[in-house]
Amino acid sequence: MKILDVTSKSFESEFKAVLARGKMDMKEVSSIVEGLLNEIATNGLEALKSHIARFDSWQANSFEDICITPSMCLKAYNELSSDLKNALKLAYDRIYAFHQKQKPQSWIDCEDNGNILGVKVTPIERAGLYIPGGKAAYPSSLLMNAIPAIVAGVKEIVVCSPTPHNNPNPLLLGALHLCGITEIYKVGGASAIGLMAYGIKEIKKVDAISGPGNIFVACAKKHVFGEVNIDMIAGPSEIGIIADKHANAKYIAYDLLSQAEHDEMASSILISDDSALIESVKSHIEHILPSMPRVAIAQKSIANRAVMIHTRNLQESIDIANALAPEHLEVFTLNPAEVLPYIKHAGAIFLGEYSSEPIGDYLAGPNHTLPTGGSARFFSPLSVEHFVKKSSIIAFSAQALKQVGSSCVALAQCESLDAHAQAVLARLDSMKINKE
């Protein structure tokens, strides 16, 4: 594992490389993705069947073959153990309760002069959710993407997820049943994004797409933005941890490894002003890593993307964390609540040693679809807001127009937009005539 020291002459250049961790070179895959999207847009179902055979190693012979039915989901749910059913239900309820608090409300403001101004909040009609399914199945991602849409009031929710060798994951099917989703397709990658964004003869296009995925999925989402709305362009998972001498090294080691096992490109970053803690965490990782079931993935991630940064003090640790703007940020210090006001950029903030990042992944309540690669500087977690749109309401009275109309005319004339000015003047003139 790399250990960087802020006092080193090479720190600035080494830290720049860490800051650049989120740069996904889409140039290499852009032409491939564009070709796949064009095939979906042009050839519809035939292109889908071809892509499934190519990428998921099974042959779909008809439209029905790519569909997952509600009865399949019900059967899978009924066959889950009681423990898994209870865990899914607990996660669902906690995530729902949290997102219910986010639901925006329409509002109307009536002014004394008769003006009515406001905002009308309307759920989008049709949402598309992408749920990864290549290296592993992620029922938790389904819950995190479906529940905000359900809370928002979206009537039609479409789910696409790859099913290598045509073997749908039973837990994912059970989660689909729990969410009440009935339109599900066994399609993955850029093909799924194209299917949802453009639609085909058999499937209507959606209005917005959300959900994580690999570089092909991210690139496809970037291509279709504007045709539909998207949540964000997310990259590999990452965690940053601010820790002082009071932190538990074993806890930190496991939390760093919890990201490393996601993906070879995942980033695990420890920031501490205590060199003894850094060495202890490093030792724990070296001890734990060989026994991990996903050791091959985690080992590459730790070797190539993990970093431990030794700082001079807690404030410097905070400054470095803000510069990183990590997807997940854990604060394991003596008084983590005192650190919170100084955190400017992070997708999700975990305070205290019992707030392990995996709790946030599954059932704390807040969404785990988060900005990565430093984009937490300007992106927010997936929320109910993604699945609604807002319309401004403007209802002017004659009295109100009379009060502000001349100012509106002046601004329109200043911009040389004569029809704009005349549209208001015509109404003002009518008021004068009527008054006379």
Side-chain angles (χ1 to χ4, degrees), residues 5 89 104 109 146 201 209 246 292 402 408:
D5 194 307
K89 187 64 168 59
D109 182 32
K201 181 181 177 182
I209 294 174
H246 303 282
M292 292 178 61
K402 190 175 180 180
C408 183

Side-chain angles (χ1 to χ4, degrees), residues 122-136:
T122 309
I124 63 170
E125 293 184 2
R126 188 167 168 83
L129 315 181
Y130 183 80
I131 310 302
K135 292 180 180 178

